[in-house]
């Protein structure tokens, strides 16, 4: 089977993007190709004017008695981790064309960490029979 | 390995159901079998009296500075996409019997897009070693 | 390919932990090895002082018209299901060292259901090319 790790990024909070970026970096460090499809709120977070902003935390963080990140949300440096993953190995970031339509986001509005634009079929074809992780 | 795409639908918001439906439609268009297990809030959304309603968006949509769907939530036509997926190929929708118990939902309350009822073991056996995506 | 089922637990709500535990129990009952990486809000929920508490439900449960669990949130006994999974088969629970740093949680603060501590590389190596499910 394909040894690619394939991630569908749907969520746009710093904690989930961090979880995704660490998976990508781990796989890249093991010389595995990584394909990332960026959809919906993740796509929205990848806009140039938003990607460096404080993206907040998941709903789970609002629960009574939940811990807070040491150093605050800003300390969850998911973007640095994702950039490192791209330096470590073959990590392709694809903006989902369907989500671009739904949210009205053009390719020119996205951060250059996005490599190209494409649809589900492109992503599934690249993923072949490798692992797919939806985050 | 199996070339089936296997989806566990847990979430009941329109955006996540749309992400799931587009994955299902993409795989079906590539002649891949698709097995869908519908659990918890997705199952709740598949009730006949709710499936055509406005199901809202994910928590991430509430973040400061997040974009809004062009045309509003109603424009996210996940159900039409899922119905199209079923027309395109072999897409089976299984209602999770455990979640039916937890939420007190009977098979008769579900939309006919659900094919049958079953448990985790049935789903895992059908999934074999194909990709599993939890949404 | 590997027949292991590999779960990344990110979420700390009772409903998602229940979905994860039932997948683990189903796979264990089929004699499949199960590797679980516990991150972020799931890790936070695995603290000894929190694991028996009411962990609440997902954001989706707050939607207008959503059903409520029969018997309330307390009736979603995810921990019992996860313990059963560990009795049924080979289920390994790994605390994510990166998340321990982010949230300031030491191994000694975690419930004994956690077997050990490790990073993404450890998890990906154990997962090999088996299914990975992010919950």
């Amino acid at each position: 089977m394909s040894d690619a790790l394939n991630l569908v990024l749907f969520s746009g909070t710093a904690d989930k993007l961090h979880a995704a970026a660490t998976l990508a970096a781990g796989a890249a460090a093991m010389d595995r190709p990584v394909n990332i499809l960026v959809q919906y709120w993740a796509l929205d977070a990848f806009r140039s004017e938003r990607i460096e902003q404080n993206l907040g935390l998941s709903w789970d963080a609002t629960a009574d008695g939940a811990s807070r990140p040491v150093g605050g949300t800003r300390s969850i440096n998911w973007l640095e981790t994702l950039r490192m993953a791209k330096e470590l190995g073959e990590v392709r970031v694809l903006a989902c064309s369907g989500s671009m339509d739904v949210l009205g986001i053009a390719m020119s509005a996205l951060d250059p960490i996005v490599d190209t634009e494409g649809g589900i079929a492109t992503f599934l074809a690249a993923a072949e029979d490798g692992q797919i992780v939806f985050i």
Side-chain angles (χ1 to χ4, degrees), chain A residues 12-126:
Chain A
T13 54
D15 45 6
K16 283 206 177 168
L17 289 169
H18 187 233
T22 53
L23 277 171
M30 295 161 86
D31 284 325
R32 297 176 55 182
V34 179
N35 296 305
I36 302 180
L37 180 70
V38 186
Q39 290 190 330
Y40 271 102
W41 313 109
L43 183 75
D44 197 46
F46 275 60
R47 284 187 288 130
S48 305
E49 66 175 45
R50 196 144 188 269
I51 198 165
E52 305 271 8
Q53 302 300 309
N54 182 342
L55 297 172
L57 299 172
S58 301
W59 162 253
D60 305 60
T62 67
D64 283 346
S67 298
R68 308 307 298 174
V70 177
T73 308
R74 282 278 186 189
S75 66
I76 302 177
N77 207 331
W78 67 274
L79 184 56
E80 186 177 75
T81 306
L82 186 58
R83 285 181 177 144
M84 185 185 69
K86 290 195 86 165
E87 282 165 23
L88 279 172
E90 188 194 330
V91 177
R92 297 275 299 166
V93 180
L94 186 71
C96 176
S97 47
S99 291
M100 292 170 76
D101 288 347
V102 170
L103 294 177
I105 295 173
M107 192 67 190
S108 59
L110 295 171
D111 185 87
I113 203 167
V114 176
D115 294 300
T116 185
E117 170 184 350
I120 297 289
T122 305
F123 174 74
L124 286 177

